[in-house]
Amino acid sequence: MHAPVVGGGGGYGHAVVVGSSLAGLTAARALANFMDQVTVVERDWVPRGPGRRRGVPQARHTHSLMTAAQQGLEQLFPGIRQDLTDAGAVHVRMPEDMLLLGPSGWLPRADSGLSMLSAGRDLIDAVIRDRLLADPKVTFLREHEAVALQPGRHDTVTGVWVRRRDRKTPGGWATRHLISADFVVDATGRGSRAPQWLAELGYEPPHETVADAGTAFATAVFAMPVGHVADWKGLLLLPSPGDPVQGMLNPLEGGRWSVSVCVGDGRSLPTDHAGLLRAADALRHPLLHDVLRGATPLGPVYGCRATENRWRHYEKLRRWPDQFLVLGDAFAAFDPVHGQGMTAAVHSALVLDHMLASHGTAVGLGYRLRRALAHRLAPAWRTSTRASRAAKDDQDPRAGLRTRLSRRYQARIAAAATRDPYAAKALLQLLQTAAPPATALRPRVLRAALRGPHGPAPTAPPTTTHGQDTHRRRPAAPPAPALGMSDSPPWHSLTRPV
Ligand SMILES: Cc1cc2nc3c(=O)[nH]c(=O)nc-3n(C[C@H](O)[C@H](O)[C@H](O)COP(=O)(O)OP(=O)(O)OC[C@H]3O[C@@H](n4cnc5c(N)ncnc54)[C@H](O)[C@@H]3O)c2cc1C
């Protein structure tokens, strides 16, 4: 990939980016490498520093910046990982710093080379935004809503119509005005109105593919219990076949935790702290519930159901206004259960950076960009939609032979992952959709899956700070060697077998 020349270049005129969340911020960075001036149009008031914004309601939920997103951000904003950790983001090696209950049992805490940066979403955006605010080429136009595109001659776009928020005017908005631009990016997220904007100019709206697993999140922030000591930083209790509820605890800046319970298949969500605790207790292992009992809630429990995988096939449209691009969730939105949205946004900005470096804003760029974006996002899309379908098929006894075989093979990888760090890494990569599905067929993974685990899956979480000696929560059950379950103490006699 082309290495961006930060702050260099110039000469291609004025770009307008609509939306200042992850996709908009990273696109603005890529454009600033080539354009004379970049204007970021944002409907919300944009705070200085971390602050809640109406336009990014998902910011209340647990956000992990996965390995690939960190690497991409570092290319766009050299030193950004250090900035994020200086601001309080927590670096969590996976699964070394985590207690991770896979579909078949606890994963060994070996070094896999994978990690996440864990922080409040407002903080992540604020640190990136600060970098852009320091760039003299970039201007933020706060409290301005984009409402339409300005067409030019021969299938081009020459600007964006915006209206300023004006609380004194009936309706809350001033009269719209035009911002001229040589390049326009729509990064307005799942609610993007680009299909309507295009239709108003006589273009065909894109065909959409939707894969919805009915995933829903309930999230609350907690202060750690006083005197909390642990040899881990985060918890992830993944669903298993027949038990589609996931629990996670991510560390946040300021010694806080973001805790989410994620349900599938349109099930009901907890709406208060008592409900969240009950949901944590019903997970495959009581650890999250036990840890939370001593923690102090710092805000309400928020829910989110807008989680479907949705791809708007802009890449397939034949007629298109050149110098216009849609990216981020507005182009392809992923089920957040895999934590991929920010990675996709960063990768899209890198595609933009690369294409501008190769072709400038020459005629035909729009076509090339749409194709290149689709190509870049396709592997993550395939993995994410396959996982969404599998979540449904798990419940479907009439699933076909191919589905049943794939399900069985994945179950073998998950079983091997409880003993084999290489299989554990492959499992994590597949879960993060950070690797193509072919990862599952790498010789070492294949061998581990076919051989099966070296012994029974550990039934105790791999920690010395939360377990039998620290917390006897349930009566100890007698060891059950006949079931091949217990090679470790049975403190946590599970509510359901892992
Ligand atoms: C519950 C949940 C959990 C998630 N967890 C993770 C995670 O752990 N890891 C991960 O990588 N991703 C996660 N995601 C996905 C991630 O939040 C998004 O993919 C990411 O924010 C990129 O989105 P975006 O920039 O395309 O759009 P958005 O974040 O939706 O931002 C759109 C922006 O456009 C602005 N806007 C909208 N319309 C207009 C207009 N007409 N004019 C001007 N401005 C406008 C909005 O105010 C907003 O600022 C999660 C998502 C959800 C729902």
Side-chain angles (χ1 to χ4, degrees), residues 2-17:
H2 147 84
V5 187
V6 177
Y12 290 105
H14 178 215
V16 170
V17 177

Side-chain angles (χ1 to χ4, degrees), residues 146-487:
V147 289
L149 297 172
Q150 172 65 24
R153 283 193 303 165
H154 308 305
D155 282 334
T156 53
V157 158
T158 56
V160 188
W161 288 91
V162 302
R163 54 183 190 176
R164 182 174 52 81
R165 195 178 291 282
D166 180 359
R167 290 176 182 84
K168 291 186 203 127
T169 311
W173 297 99
T175 331
R176 69 182 203 169
H177 64 275
L178 179 66
I179 306 179
S180 299
D182 303 289
F183 197 85
V184 177
V185 172
D186 171 34
T188 55
R190 285 176 180 265
S192 161
R193 292 183 54 78
Q196 290 89 323
W197 294 348
L198 288 168
E200 281 160 19
L201 303 186
Y203 294 96
E204 225 181 282
H207 160 74
E208 293 189 5
T209 305
V210 178
D212 189 2
T215 311
F217 280 71
T219 304
V221 173
F222 291 83
M224 287 182 195
V226 176
H228 170 80
V229 177
D231 61 3
W232 49 264
K233 296 181 187 171
L235 302 177
L236 179 57
L237 282 70
L238 290 170
S240 70
D243 194 349
V245 186
Q246 172 170 313
M248 58 186 140
L249 179 156
N250 271 17
L252 294 182
E253 64 280 8
R256 299 170 303 147
W257 286 332
S258 177
V259 175
S260 293
V261 167
C262 169
V263 300
D265 216 12
R267 291 169 185 232
S268 65
L269 277 177
T271 51
D272 57 17
H273 293 102
L276 192 70
L277 265 185
R278 274 196 303 279
D281 199 25
L283 290 168
R284 294 163 53 220
H285 193 282
L287 183 60
L288 179 60
H289 173 266
D290 288 357
V291 167
L292 277 189
R293 275 190 309 177
T296 310
L298 293 177
V301 176
Y302 292 105
C304 174
R305 286 191 181 276
T307 59
E308 77 284 356
N309 296 288
R310 181 181 296 273
W311 183 296
R312 296 186 174 109
H313 291 281
Y314 289 112
E315 80 284 4
K316 295 210 170 132
L317 295 180
R318 284 179 173 273
R319 238 193 99 218
W320 181 263
D322 220 22
Q323 273 102 34
F324 176 57
L325 182 67
V326 180
L327 47 69
D329 282 11
F331 185 104
F334 295 82
D335 186 334
V337 77
H338 309 292
Q340 278 311 292
M342 294 192 289
T343 308
V346 172
H347 282 174
S348 302
L350 287 171
V351 167
L352 178 60
D353 182 68
H354 178 64
M355 296 298 279
L356 284 169
S358 315
H359 305 286
T361 51
V363 176
L365 178 70
Y367 174 75
R368 288 198 187 99
L369 268 170
R370 286 181 286 135
R371 305 284 297 192
L373 271 186
H375 184 71
R376 186 74 186 79
L377 299 178
W381 173 260
R382 274 196 297 274
T383 316
S384 184
T385 49
R386 206 170 283 169
S388 294
R389 274 196 298 273
K392 291 212 145 164
D393 289 347
D394 277 344
Q395 266 78 266
D396 182 3
R398 296 159 304 163
L401 178 67
R402 206 171 146 189
T403 307
R404 278 182 284 136
L405 281 177
S406 139
R407 212 188 283 168
R408 243 199 245 168
Y409 183 61
Q410 279 166 22
R412 290 195 77 98
I413 297 180
T418 61
R419 289 285 176 184
D420 181 329
Y422 196 83
K425 178 176 177 175
L427 181 71
L428 280 179
Q429 282 178 322
L430 292 169
L431 287 170
Q432 287 194 10
T433 63
T439 304
L441 297 172
R442 278 189 201 141
R444 272 188 71 178
V445 182
L446 193 66
R447 248 194 332 269
L450 294 179
R451 193 179 50 224
H454 287 309
T459 53
T463 168
T464 53
T465 48
H466 292 82
Q468 184 187 22
D469 299 330
T470 51
H471 221 120
R472 186 176 292 278
R473 178 174 179 276
R474 291 165 200 253
L483 290 175
M485 287 278 291
S486 182
D487 65 342

Side-chain angles (χ1 to χ4, degrees), residues 18-24 41-44 53-56 58 61-66 69 121 144-147 187-191 193 197 217 304 306-307 327-330 334 336 338-343 345:
V18 187
S20 74
S21 181
L22 231 289
V41 176
E42 171 54 54
R43 189 167 51 195
D44 281 349
R53 290 205 295 112
R54 219 167 147 184
V56 193
Q58 75 270 29
H61 295 273
T62 308
H63 268 75
S64 320
L65 204 51
M66 297 304 192
R121 177 58 202 272
H144 279 71
E145 182 183 52
V147 289
T188 55
R190 285 176 180 265
R193 292 183 54 78
W197 294 348
F217 280 71
C304 174
T307 59
L327 47 69
D329 282 11
F334 295 82
H338 309 292
Q340 278 311 292
M342 294 192 289
T343 308

